[in-house]
Amino acid sequence: MMHQEARAGLLMDPISLQLDTENLCGCLVRLLSKDPEWLSAKVKFFLPNMDLGSGDQSPDPTQRVIQQLNKLHTQGQTTWQEFIHCVCMELDVPLDLEVPLLSTWGHGDGFPRQPEVGEESQPDSQLHPGLKRPHQSCGSSPRPKQCKKQQQELAKRYLQLLRTSAQQRYADRTPGPGQPLAFPQAYIPPILQWSRASAPFDTQEGAITGDPKAEDGTDVNIRDLFNTKANRGPRVTVLLGKAGMGKTTLAHRLCQKWADGQLDRFQALFLFEFRQLNLITGFLTLPQLLFDLYLRPEAGPEAVFQYLEENANGILLIFDGLDEIFHPCSSKETAGPEDPASALTLFSRLCRGTLLPGCWVMATSRPGKLPACLPTEAATVHMWGFDGPRVEEYVSRFFSDQPSQEAAVAELRTNRRLWSMCAVPALCRVACLCLYRLLPGSSPGQSAALLPTMTQNYVQMVLTLSPRGFLPAESLLGLGEVALRGLETGKVIFSAGDIPPPVMAFGAALGLMTSFCVCTGPGHQETGYAFTHVSLQEFFAALHLMASPQVDKDTLSQHVTLTSRWVQRTKARLGLLDHLPTFLAGLASCACRPFLSLLAQQDEAWVGTKQAAVVQALRKLATRRLTGPKVVELCHCVGETQAPELAGFTAQSLPHQMPFHNFLLTYADLAALTNILGHRDAPIHLDFEGCPLEPRCPEALAGCGQVENLSFKSRKCGDAFAEALSRSLPTMGSLKKLGLAGSKITAQGISHLVQALPLCPQLEEISFRDNQLKDWEVLNVVEVLPCLPRLRKLELSLSNVSASTLLSLTNVAVTCPTVRMLQVRKADLIFLLSPPTETATELQGDPDLQGNANQRKEAQRRSLALRLQKCQLGVHDVEVLIAQLREGPHLDEVDLSGNRLEDEGCQLMAEAAPQLHIAGKLDLSSNGLSLAGVCRVLSAVSTCRTLAEFHVSLLHKTVVLKFAPEPEEQEVTQKRAAFPDSLTFQTPSDPPLCAPRIRLTHCALQAQHLEHLCKALGGSCCLCHLDLSGNALGDKGAALLAQLLPGVGALQSLNLSENGLSLDAVFSLTQCFSTLPWLLHLDFSSESQRVILRGDGRDRDLLAAGSLPEFQAGAQFLGFGQRRISRSFCLRECQLEPLSLSRLCETLEKCPGPLEVKLSCNVLSDQSLETLLHHLPRLPELSLLQLTQMELSPRSPLLLADIFSLCPRVQKVDLRSLHHATLHFRSSEEQEGGCCGRFTGCGLSQEHVEPLCWLLSKCEDLSQLDLSANLLGDAGLRCLLECLPQVPISGSLDLSHNGISQESVLCLVETLPSCPRVREASVNLGSKQSFWIHFSRQEEARKTLRLSECSFEPEHVPRLATGLSQALWLTELTLTQCFVGLEQLTILLGLLKCPEGLLTLRWDGWLFGSRIRFKVHICMEW
């Protein structure tokens, strides 16, 4: 002890001698001896890295003070100056002592040169006080072999050293430097919530709520942070939370727990802060990171590190501030795992398991895109801060006496804004500091005026901590300048040279700054300073921007920005200016104007100008189209300004649909949004999807009357979230649509919501989709349907519902008068409702009115649709369902497809269908129905009057019954009374409402099944459409069906397509023309296997009424107005051989009534055509024969020309291009008339002319003959003109487009004398290429000849004149553009010798080749 005192004296004497201030030094020692605790705290603040244990144990207080002053003095001039400023600022120093202290030691000229901190002469220091270590570095050199026992002993000593270091670090819980008020440092556990993919095995709830009532030191849920599902590989936990939520506090809490032995699963725990690791510029190995930067073993570092590698599963490494890293890491790394690298790369290797495989890694970060170095399987935990009970618990711990506790809690409860801010633990402490100053002597509720915003809380905190009740403006602005410079350069840790000593002393005195040892590399350490929280640095930066004269309005406006929280992976570090705009907005409040005026030492007008610049910048931001994160930031800023006009403008600028997707939201965020929405007039839709939400977030929406649609979709929403939502829902009077999808709510959360929903009668749509609700929860929700009179949709899809619960839901649908549809299909479970039309007064009136007669009548008139698809319903379930539906309303639709009804269940539903009043469809598809069951079902519904369609396809597992809506009884009576007596048919039973369509397609029906099928159809008295396509009836089945159809009843159509039918089946079906009165059309296509038998829809009412007389083969039957009913037979794509045609015609001979036959085949031979034409006279009722899309031979025109003589009933023969032929026949009632022959494009040439004319000469009266578009040429035309007198044409002959020339014209002129019945002939050899000859029945005395564009040559003129001279009775001649000029006309006139009479000559042509048109009209008489 004497040695220490002597050493102290030797150190002090040089100081006193050098400065000549022995008395001043003695006064300082005596002053500090009065408050040794304050001095110890200051030494600990300025020397965080020095061992203060053994050297301060002198029993003499004066000697201890001298020793501590020596240690401060040896740190250098800057530390000594800052300490002297703290003495003068914080202690009651007499004025006669304060002046010499500041004048002597408060400036740099009074201190001798000493080694600066961090230089080589700096004494050895540690990260943790109380532990010394040598200077040598632990590199990555090969480790020497250690025996196991020695290794374990060295490791044991190191682990104990780690624990002792942590215990010493957290042992002193007295108020630290700069904390003049002895507030308890109580720790209240925040709300922690696991992400969906990383919840521990033994944690059922997503939120780790902790126990706010637990005693300090007994956090029961801390261990759950390390119960992740990762049993192998890296076990990484990422703790996400916004600024101020307590991430760093929790990290140190874990260290303290481990030091106290409560985390016994970990043998070693290392805590690193990225804000300090950023200062390390060189590369490190993992041993250097653990031993040189944290704590070095006393001996054998290689052996200790080997032990840590072998026991990595018991090692926990905590990295605080992952969002503060300067440089992002790459997801791909090429260097070896043990090579030196940056601190972030070492962290990445630890996370991936390439270093210390099996160790536990925990990182804290603000929310945003995390670095790519984190593994995808990392567990994520969200930190939500405080809820209501935690706030109250924190307040009770902060205030020591009970009256203050009660007053503070009461003040928070009355101030909702302040209460919501206390959700952030850092702000909760600030609020408590402010209340500590305001509560004594203030009236209740004063905090609402003084602490309305976060910024004003910080202002009040500064005023609370300011010494002696005055505002040190210069120090505050200096601190603000340091803060802003640090934010702009990305600096949160300052060295002693970055901060002026008076400013440092001020920050330390008010507890605004903290100090710690900063290691910039192995063996290089210095003292670092930082604001106690990053938000505090942002606040002081905002103070500087608002109050500094050096900052103009433009510079100030540039800092008013909104940052998105969607941070790219290439920029993993979040910005340090996130809250700066919020503080600027808060300082722009009018309430802060006096404070800023005093701080800036300017008048309030000067301050108001700057505040207006901030408000204007926010107003511009409000006009932009912002994303969800920026909208939230804007709401925070606008709320801080306390400007109602700006809040209203911002609220009105928000879009009607406001989406918030994939970013973290807290209670404070929604509270800020709700505050702005309170100034909005129009409704708004809020959609939260994929957002991690604080469990009590919905409480912030309480009383928000502007929200019309509210939707949440997140797996992180659990029962606590649902409970909070249930408290807010009754207060949101405008809410119409509520959605809570994809959450983890259980029965507990549902019970809370069910209790709240009846208090929201205005709700129109509710969605609890994808919540994995079970039977009890689903039924619990459905019970509220009668309590929600305006509800239109309730969705409970993706719930786990059993068959029994499903039947309970159908019972609710049947009994609840507002339900219109229940849809259940695998994952879907949806109720659709139609609110009644009662007025609002009735809805809010007496509950007894709910059961009055009007509502019962409304319930009876309503219709219900049930869709129970793929619900595994069986026969027993169907019986229960039928019993429910019989007592229920009319049904629009019943869909039971995809169940297990089989034959029995389907038959039960079919039998019950007429009693269930189904107006739409009954779907029984995919229920295992067999072919035998089809007949049973068909028999059950065959007599149903409302059946519109019955469709079964066993191949496609389709069974659908469609029904027509049944009219009201009164309407039916009125319709029957409206029929005239002559049209009222007497039937044994009511006719069907529509013609049902029976479709039994692809059911593998064969001939042996037809008898049972027809028996089932026989019970139906209605006319229907029967579709048996896609089966396997074959020719045998078709023949049998033709015999059975008369017993089935009248049909409208019968479809037998795709049944493997041949022409033999067609012959069998053709016989049905004589046995089935309803059959009017038969259509058969061989290649496409299309076989259709149908009636005429216009006569279905007549046939269905049964008023037709008994039908017999060969008889004709009449309908309304004695109209004859025509039938048609169409045969396509078939090979028509003579034998087949013979059988066909023989069958058609028995067909009654007018008949149209249409045949189509690829090739029709002459023999087949002759056979067909030979049978035509035996078809007395044939009205039309059409041969289409077939190839006929060149001889076919001759065969068709002969039909006029073979069958006198033929009225017209039309043959086109040897591919289409149509024969029209006269009916037996029609009088005989002329015939028409048309053979166009048939390739007729000269060789065909003579036989054609001979055949046509047999026709008694040929009114028209068309031979156009053939190949007659001049020779063929000459031959035709020669044979023309033999042909009895009485109308016209068309020879156009036959390739004729002037020779044919001259031949025509020469032939005119031999054809006395020709009355007119016209020829055009130009573009029209027309050649017409018109005849009369008698010899014509007047003839007309018109020749156009014939271009006669001079050698043609004499021959033309000769022919015209021989033409008798030629009275008119027209020549249009037939000659070159008048010279040829003159020659013609000179040669023309006409008989006696009058000849009119018209000539139209060009005059001598000129472009002058010349017309001549000459009348000559001989």
Side-chain angles (χ1 to χ4, degrees), residues 2 46 132 144 177-178 581 609 664 669 900 1012 1057 1177 1238 1277 1410:
M2 293 299 296
F46 286 108
K132 293 184 178 291
T609 303
L664 185 140
D669 294 333
R900 302 175 180 177
H1012 297 285
S1057 303
R1238 187 174 183 180
L1277 184 63
S1410 67

Side-chain angles (χ1 to χ4, degrees), residues 1265-1276:
L1265 179 60
D1266 187 352
L1267 300 178
S1268 61
N1270 284 290
L1271 305 174
L1272 297 181
D1274 294 335

Side-chain angles (χ1 to χ4, degrees), residues 1121-1168:
Q1122 301 297 313
R1123 180 175 61 85
R1124 303 184 69 202
I1125 300 177
S1126 177
R1127 288 173 167 78
S1128 69
F1129 175 83
C1130 183
L1131 196 62
R1132 298 186 180 93
E1133 304 167 356
C1134 299
Q1135 295 296 330
L1136 298 177
E1137 301 296 335
L1139 181 60
S1140 301
L1141 286 172
S1142 298
R1143 291 186 58 189
L1144 174 62
C1145 293
E1146 291 173 359
T1147 306
L1148 292 176
E1149 291 176 4
K1150 304 177 183 179
C1151 178
L1155 175 65
E1156 296 179 0
V1157 178
K1158 301 176 182 179
L1159 304 177
S1160 172
C1161 63
N1162 294 331
V1163 178
L1164 187 66
S1165 63
D1166 291 342
Q1167 184 180 1
S1168 298

Side-chain angles (χ1 to χ4, degrees), residues 1006-1213:
Q1006 298 180 10
Q1008 60 266 29
H1009 303 127
L1010 290 177
E1011 186 173 354
H1012 297 285
L1013 176 61
C1014 293
K1015 183 178 180 182
L1017 291 171
S1020 175
C1021 61
C1022 59
L1023 188 69
C1024 69
H1025 301 270
L1026 180 59
D1027 186 352
L1028 301 179
S1029 61
N1031 289 288
L1033 298 181
D1035 294 344
K1036 180 179 179 182
L1040 179 59
L1041 187 61
Q1043 301 174 10
L1044 297 174
L1045 281 177
V1048 172
L1051 303 176
Q1052 282 196 40
S1053 69
L1054 172 61
N1055 189 348
L1056 298 177
S1057 303
E1058 300 178 23
N1059 269 283
L1061 304 185
S1062 65
L1063 280 177
D1064 293 337
V1066 176
F1067 301 146
S1068 301
L1069 295 175
T1070 306
Q1071 300 175 2
C1072 295
F1073 275 126
S1074 59
T1075 59
L1076 300 177
W1078 60 267
L1079 179 58
L1080 303 179
H1081 307 280
L1082 193 155
D1083 192 345
F1084 177 81
S1085 177
S1086 178
E1087 292 185 6
S1088 59
Q1089 276 292 300
R1090 184 174 184 268
V1091 184
I1092 303 293
L1093 291 78
R1094 59 185 176 87
D1096 190 351
R1098 294 171 296 178
D1099 298 323
R1100 64 184 182 187
D1101 295 332
L1102 179 65
L1103 294 174
S1107 63
L1108 294 175
E1110 186 175 355
F1111 185 77
Q1112 301 201 358
Q1116 298 179 0
F1117 60 93
L1118 305 177
F1120 289 122
Q1122 301 297 313
R1123 180 175 61 85
R1124 303 184 69 202
I1125 300 177
S1126 177
R1127 288 173 167 78
S1128 69
F1129 175 83
C1130 183
L1131 196 62
R1132 298 186 180 93
E1133 304 167 356
C1134 299
Q1135 295 296 330
L1136 298 177
E1137 301 296 335
L1139 181 60
S1140 301
L1141 286 172
S1142 298
R1143 291 186 58 189
L1144 174 62
C1145 293
E1146 291 173 359
T1147 306
L1148 292 176
E1149 291 176 4
K1150 304 177 183 179
C1151 178
L1155 175 65
E1156 296 179 0
V1157 178
K1158 301 176 182 179
L1159 304 177
S1160 172
C1161 63
N1162 294 331
V1163 178
L1164 187 66
S1165 63
D1166 291 342
Q1167 184 180 1
S1168 298
L1169 181 59
E1170 290 178 358
T1171 303
L1172 176 62
L1173 298 178
H1174 177 73
H1175 283 83
L1176 291 183
R1178 305 177 188 176
L1179 301 175
E1181 299 296 335
L1182 185 63
S1183 63
L1184 177 69
L1185 173 62
Q1186 191 174 72
L1187 307 177
T1188 60
Q1189 298 180 358
M1190 61 177 61
E1191 184 177 346
L1192 299 174
S1193 70
R1195 185 168 169 264
S1196 58
L1198 302 178
L1199 297 176
L1200 291 174
D1202 193 33
I1203 193 62
F1204 289 113
S1205 61
L1206 294 176
C1207 184
R1209 287 197 315 109
V1210 175
Q1211 186 178 19
K1212 180 180 179 181
V1213 175

